[in-house]
Each structure stands twice: as C-alpha cells, then as structure tokens.
Amino acid sequence: MVNPLHLWIILFAPLVSAVVIALFLLKQPKIAAGVSLAGILTSLGLVINIFVGSLSHKITLPFEVNYLWLHAGPMRIDFGFLVDPLSVLMLLVVTGVGSCIFLYSVGYMHGDKSFARFFASLSMFAFSMIGIVLSPNFLMLFIFWELVAVSSYLLISFWFEKPSAADAGNKAFIVNRVADFGFLLGILLLWVLSGHGSAAGARTLNFHQLHEIIPQAVQSGLILPGALFLAVLLIFCGVAGKSAQFPLYIWLPDAMEGPTPVSALIHAATMVAAGIYMMARVFFMIELSADAMQVIAVVGALTAVLAAGLAVVQTDIKKILAYSTVSQLGYMGSAIGLGSAETGMFHLTTHAFFKALLFLGAGAIIHGLHTQNIWEMGGVIKKMPITAITFLIGTLALCGIWPFAGFFSKDAILALSYGHHPVIFWAGWTTALLTAFYMTRLIWVAVLGSDRKSLGSFKHDHSHDHKKSHAAHGAHGTADGHGDGHAHEVHEAPFVMLLPLLILSVFSIIGGFIGIPGFLAGGHEHAAHHAAIVPYLATGAAIAGILLGSFLYAPLKTNNDPVAKLPQFFYRTLVQKYYLDEVFAAAGNFFQKFTAGVLYRFDINVLIKGLVNFTAESTRETGSVMRKLQTGRVANYALVFALGLIGVILFTLTRTIS
C-alpha cells in the first residue's frame, strides 16, 4: 500500500518551496534555487520509491485515498489521491524531466534580476502539474488545471517588461480560458449523466465511480449516445486548448517568449501533455463513443501535418521546436482517437525526453551564440561539441530513427491507423517526412554548417529574432536570443546546463526499450498486431526527409533559404500560419464590434427609449393631468364639489325612477 503521507509530500513539497521563496528569498537567488531544487527532488525521490515498489510488488496499484472536502445534500466532493501505473508514469515525467530543467535553469538564468521569482514560479507550476496527475476526480483536476494556466502565464510572461512577452502570456491565458469553458460544460454534463446511471440517482465526478457507472449506463440505454458524444467533445475542448490541438494551437508558438527552460518544461514535457494525460485517464468513457473518437483522431492528424508544415518555414530555433511540439501532440491525440491510450502515453513519455533535450540544447546554443535566428548561427559542432552531439541525438529521436526512442512510439501510432484509417495514416506518414526535413534543415544551417554571420544578412520579412538587451533581463544576458552586437567568445555551456542534456540524451536513446507500454498495461503487455511494413514505411519517410533536407542545405553557402523558392501563395500561407491568427482576430472583432453594436442598439432603442423614456414620459403626462386638478383656487374646488354633488343626485334619481 502507498503511504498517504508520501503523496501529501509529493504534491506539496514544490508548493512549500514556492511559498518560502516568494516570502523570504526573493533577494537570495542561490538559496532560492536550492530550495526549489530540494522541493522537486523530494517529490522525484518519493515517486521513484513508489515506482520501484510497484515493480517489486511491495506496493499494490491502483491505490486511492479520499478525504471529504465538500458535502451538500447529495453532492460529495473529495480531496484525494489516485495512484496507478498511468499516474506514476506521468509523475516520473513531471518530476524527472522537471528536475533536469530545474537544474539547467540554475545555469541558464544565472544573473537574471528576477532569478528567485523564476524559481518560485517553476515550483508553483510543478505543484499544479502534480495536482493534475494525482487528482481522483474532475473537480480537483479542474482546479489544478486552472492553477497550471496561472503558473504558465507567470512563466510565459516572465519578462513582462517586453510587450511581446506580456502579449504572449495574455494570448495563452485567453485561448485556454475559451477552451476551458467548454471543458467545464463537459464536466457539468458528466455530473448530470452520472445521476442517470447510478441506481440511487447519486451524482459523482470521481473517476473510479464514473468508470463503473458510465459504461453500464450506456450499455443499458440510460445514457443516450448523443449525450455521451457531446460530453466527450466538450471535455476534448479543454484538451484542444491545453494540448494545442487544431485550431487552438495558436498560443503555443508565441509562448516561446518565455525563457527557454519554460519552453522545455511547459511546452514540451508537462503542461501541453496534461490534456493527453487527461484523455488517457477518462479513456474508459471516450472509447464508448465511436463518433467522438473519430473526431479526436482526425483533429490530431490534422494538427500533426499542419504544424509540421509551419515548422518548415520558421527561422527562430525555438519556433521550429514549438511547431514540432504541436505536431507531436497531434500524433498523441490521434493515438487516443484511434483507440490506444497506452500508445498515446508511450509517445508522450518519449517525446518528453527528446523534446526537452532539444529545447534545452537550443537554450544552450542561444546562451552561447546570443541569437535565436538559425541564419545567424552555424559552427556549433566545432564551438560547442557536447551541446551539438546531444542536440543531434534529440533530432534523431524526434525523426524516429532506430534505435532512438521516437522510432518505437511514433511507429506504434502509425501502426494503429495502417489498413484501417488510410487518410490518417498518410497524414502521419507525411508528418514524419516533414519532421525529418525541417529538423535536417535546422541541423545543417545552425549546427553542422559554417558560421553564417560571415555570409551576410539574411533577408526575411517574417522572422522574429527576439534580440533583447542585456539591461532588460540582467547583466549576465540570459534573455533568449539576446545580443548586443559586441564580439564574444563562443564556448560550451556550464556543467550545470550540460548535465541535464546528457541525462536526457540517455533516455532519448533507451526510452523505447524500457517497457513503458507494458508498465501501463500492468505488466501484461499484448503484442501489437499490425503490418510489419509500417516501421519500414515510417523509417523511409524519415530517411527521405533527411536526404531532401541534406540535398538542399548541406551544400548551401549563402543565407538564401531554398524553402522561400516554393510557389509564393503556398509559401506566404505557411509564413502567415494559415492566417489562423487573422481568423481569430476577425472573430474577436466580430463579437466585439457587431455584437457590441447590436447590444448598443437594443440598449438605446428598447431599454432606454422604449422602457426608461416611455416610463418617464408617461409619468410626466400623468402628473401634468393630475396637476390641473390641484390648482389651489377655492372657486375651482367648489365647482368640482358642486359638479360631484350634482352627479351623485342624478345617479340617485336615476336608480329611484328605474
């Protein structure tokens, strides 16, 4: 049995670190970093203890403990912990990869004037993410879901003095609030549906209880397929925002305005994976709706191929990796929709290894070269060999080359669709080719190629070089892509930054061999039944992309991007990101201007003129009439009295005669 005290410590150790730093250590950066590292490492140590205990059968999973939180009539909400192979795997990703990123941040953020605040925000984020993973019910999960949003806002807009960073934080927060509105409606609908399925009509949001109620209720006809379909799609709204599915992925590339460790932690390993994890948690419900699964699979495949296309034309190294993240999240979503939560989580885990490695490697390159523009890089393999080699390992894993981790998890996703969903399969195959191409482009231009600054200025109208001054972010110059134009000697990053790269490189190599699907299946992994040709097709796509990228960029001696020679309409569409930002801006203007105009006219014509002014006019006219009856003259009152008396006499005589 899992010790409940350990679960409390796993959850709250990072929160304690965040509070201590925020209250007492903002002016003690070194101590703040130590406290933050102590918090996440404490959680990691206890998670490893649970993991090892489950493997040795000293700890039996699943384990759930609940404490009464809210109780009002038939409503009971618990605060508790759910520990099973799924949550243990996700905890290992959050705390394990998170610890590497925390350690890396010590070197990367050194000298930043808000160094301590950064670690307080990191610890707050870790607490929020761990809360999502351990939540045994939808309400607790939703609370931590929103805390993750707040934490990510603080980290994305960490350098809030820079308008683009502040705007990126706002964009991420707003897009996710729109998505979470649908998510909340889905939770409320599930609350209602759970009452239809239980014998006593009691409603619940507990995952274990929903697992017992929903399938039986659907099978017995107590819950209509249309109601379940709507509930699943509303839940998927939250996933589309948090895990950057089409069309709500527009916030994630802009979130690269935050420091590179933030990109690695939030937008590669944890936050964006929260939606995939949540779908795996409630897969028992998703798999009951074939229509909803088809929608999820199609959206995932569309996300994968569209984002991969956008990565091809990017010139910012972090933007390339950002769109790559969106593309890989599409793979994961597609796996869930194709009926395998285990495969989706398998790719989530391996992706956390190699994408965190790539982001941290990119940060080390930025740290050394003082630019984010790949056309201002080059020669990294000579000047920073360890960083370059680890970056190459991450690239090969992302491209899906055997024996690296991405080969196994990505091929497993493609195998799900082969022969059954040809459109989704070929979308995934095309994504694999594009992934290998844009990563080869990045490698030849920025890592293996010669120093490109000596080749002259590269003319492009769509890149964002993100050059920031040292003064804006601290004397050490930790800002991503910072540069002040002065000559500097390029050298390897300090050991505190290289160590996480080496650790993540190891897992990027062995991640496919450590039995992740078997662990998720409780040690009863079933052999995959798919065509043996799939690995060859996937590897062929990767090799084709690498060869094409090498053919175009290996001999390139200028800073003229061959991709820019694509047909202009197609190229401009990619550069403008399919005009999705413009579409959303137009939608915002529509609701802001058109809806506001309709409400204004309703307010003026109906409420003010039709109701308020009419009431006032009626009151005024009535008062005007009544005023004439009260002149203050005795003769008028006598006349009225006489007329009234005559009227009474006439009425009496009429009644008597009749």
Side-chain angles (χ1 to χ4, degrees):
M1 186 177 99
V2 180
N3 188 340
L5 178 60
H6 290 175
L7 299 177
W8 286 97
I9 296 174
I10 289 171
L11 176 60
F12 284 99
L15 177 62
V16 171
S17 297
V19 172
V20 170
I21 294 171
L23 293 180
F24 307 109
L25 300 176
L26 289 180
K27 297 187 181 298
Q28 302 290 332
K30 292 184 179 180
I31 300 177
V35 170
S36 182
L37 274 169
I40 192 68
L41 289 174
T42 299
S43 297
L44 173 61
L46 292 175
V47 170
I48 292 175
N49 180 64
I50 294 174
F51 173 67
V52 173
S54 67
L55 293 180
S56 61
H57 303 291
K58 293 181 180 179
I59 293 177
T60 302
L61 299 179
F63 171 81
E64 182 174 352
V65 58
N66 289 291
Y67 306 92
L68 180 62
W69 181 21
L70 298 173
H71 193 192
M75 182 180 72
R76 175 192 170 99
I77 301 296
D78 295 319
F79 185 97
F81 305 99
L82 173 58
V83 184
D84 60 1
L86 177 62
S87 58
V88 170
L89 177 65
M90 193 67 185
L91 283 174
L92 287 171
V93 171
V94 173
T95 59
V97 177
S99 296
C100 291
I101 296 170
F102 276 51
L103 180 62
Y104 177 94
S105 300
V106 174
Y108 189 86
M109 297 300 294
H110 176 69
D112 191 281
K113 64 180 182 180
S114 299
F115 184 89
R117 176 168 63 87
F118 179 79
F119 276 94
S121 300
L122 278 186
S123 295
M124 182 64 186
F125 174 84
F127 160 72
S128 305
M129 192 66 209
I130 292 172
I132 287 179
V133 178
L134 289 175
S135 295
N137 60 70
F138 263 117
L139 181 59
M140 182 175 165
L141 182 144
F142 186 76
I143 291 172
F144 283 106
W145 188 274
E146 297 304 303
L147 284 174
V148 164
V150 173
S151 303
S152 66
Y153 171 79
L154 294 175
L155 289 167
I156 294 169
S157 56
F158 177 75
W159 287 315
F160 56 85
E161 303 96 334
K162 186 159 57 75
S164 57
D167 291 342
N170 289 334
K171 185 176 183 179
F173 195 81
I174 292 170
V175 170
N176 277 276
R177 297 295 66 71
V178 173
D180 290 350
F181 178 70
F183 185 25
L184 182 58
L185 291 179
I187 293 175
L188 295 175
L189 180 55
L190 279 177
W191 169 264
V192 174
L193 294 179
S194 67
H196 297 318
S198 64
R203 297 182 173 91
T204 182
L205 291 175
N206 181 274
F207 296 131
H208 178 72
Q209 295 173 2
L210 287 173
H211 197 175
E212 295 178 347
I213 293 172
I214 299 297
Q216 294 180 4
V218 172
Q219 186 176 6
S220 60
L222 296 175
I223 296 179
L224 297 176
L228 182 64
F229 172 75
L230 179 60
V232 172
L233 287 192
L234 287 172
I235 294 295
F236 183 65
C237 283
V239 177
K242 194 76 76 183
S243 291
Q245 301 293 298
F246 177 85
L248 298 182
Y249 62 69
I250 58 171
W251 66 270
L252 193 145
D254 290 336
M256 297 301 107
E257 289 289 343
T260 299
V262 173
S263 304
L265 179 66
I266 295 182
H267 310 115
T270 55
M271 173 184 167
V272 293
I276 306 300
Y277 167 80
M278 192 264 288
M279 283 201 294
R281 171 61 66 202
V282 298
F283 185 70
F284 64 86
M285 178 178 65
I286 295 174
E287 65 179 346
L288 298 175
S289 177
D291 292 337
M293 289 182 67
Q294 186 172 4
V295 171
I296 294 170
V298 170
V299 170
L302 189 63
T303 301
V305 69
L306 289 179
L310 294 178
V312 168
V313 300
Q314 298 301 310
T315 61
D316 184 317
I317 188 171
K318 289 178 63 178
K319 289 287 183 72
I320 295 172
L321 297 179
Y323 281 113
S324 175
T325 298
V326 175
S327 183
Q328 299 304 307
L329 288 168
Y331 268 131
M332 300 173 207
S334 182
I336 300 288
L338 290 170
S340 179
E342 293 174 4
T343 302
M345 287 300 299
F346 184 22
H347 194 56
L348 181 154
T349 306
T350 59
H351 177 262
F353 297 147
F354 57 73
K355 189 52 68 65
L357 170 61
L358 287 170
F359 267 114
L360 296 186
I365 294 172
I366 293 168
H367 186 272
L369 301 183
H370 295 233
T371 181
Q372 288 181 216
N373 189 340
I374 62 173
W375 295 98
E376 296 177 355
M377 296 181 178
V380 174
I381 189 67
K382 297 179 181 178
K383 302 170 184 175
M384 306 170 66
I386 298 177
T387 299
I389 292 172
T390 56
F391 198 86
L392 284 169
I393 291 173
T395 298
L396 292 172
L398 174 59
C399 293
I401 302 299
W402 188 90
F404 298 92
F407 169 83
F408 300 93
S409 56
K410 184 176 68 177
D411 284 14
I413 296 174
L414 292 175
L416 292 172
S417 59
Y418 183 80
H420 304 287
H421 306 276
V423 174
I424 294 177
F425 172 80
W426 288 111
W429 186 90
T430 304
T431 301
L433 187 149
L434 291 173
T435 300
F437 174 76
Y438 65 68
M439 289 306 298
T440 302
R441 170 178 176 263
L442 169 58
I443 289 296
W444 279 113
V445 172
V447 179
L448 299 181
S450 57
D451 188 349
R452 311 203 70 84
K453 286 187 177 180
S454 62
L455 300 178
S457 176
F458 174 60
K459 302 295 183 181
H460 55 285
D461 58 358
H462 59 278
S463 68
H464 300 279
D465 297 343
H466 302 290
K467 292 184 177 180
K468 296 106 181 174
S469 66
H470 289 276
H473 309 300
H476 192 269
T478 59
D480 293 358
H482 64 305
D484 56 4
H486 298 297
H488 58 276
E489 182 181 353
V490 179
H491 54 80
E492 283 284 10
F495 181 73
V496 73
M497 293 172 64
L498 291 180
L499 179 60
L501 297 180
L502 297 173
I503 294 172
L504 291 170
S505 295
V506 172
F507 283 99
S508 296
I509 296 172
I510 69 172
F513 297 99
I514 57 180
I516 294 172
F519 176 71
L520 287 173
H524 303 286
E525 183 178 1
H526 301 285
H529 298 284
H530 58 267
I533 196 175
V534 169
Y536 297 100
L537 290 174
T539 303
I543 293 175
I546 292 173
L547 291 176
L548 179 60
S550 298
F551 174 77
L552 292 177
Y553 291 95
L556 190 65
K557 300 301 181 182
T558 68
N559 279 354
N560 296 317
D561 193 350
V563 172
K565 297 179 182 179
L566 289 169
Q568 280 304 297
F569 173 77
F570 184 63
Y571 178 69
R572 294 302 304 175
T573 301
L574 292 177
V575 168
Q576 296 299 325
K577 299 170 287 188
Y578 308 120
Y579 299 95
L580 275 178
D581 283 331
E582 287 77 5
V583 170
F584 278 97
N589 289 334
F590 172 80
F591 285 106
Q592 181 179 353
K593 295 180 179 180
F594 176 78
T595 307
V598 171
L599 293 176
Y600 171 79
R601 291 180 180 85
F602 176 81
D603 185 35
I604 293 295
N605 297 317
V606 177
L607 295 180
I608 295 179
K609 293 183 178 179
L611 184 60
V612 176
N613 288 355
F614 173 77
T615 302
E617 186 68 20
S618 299
T619 303
R620 188 181 67 82
E621 293 297 331
T622 302
S624 179
V625 173
M626 296 298 295
R627 181 166 54 85
K628 294 178 180 178
L629 298 178
Q630 299 180 16
T631 63
R633 297 178 180 177
V634 176
N636 290 346
Y637 294 154
L639 177 61
V640 172
F641 177 79
L643 291 175
L645 181 61
I646 292 171
V648 170
I649 294 173
L650 291 175
F651 177 75
T652 303
L653 291 175
T654 303
R655 292 290 298 268
T656 302
I657 295 173
S658 61

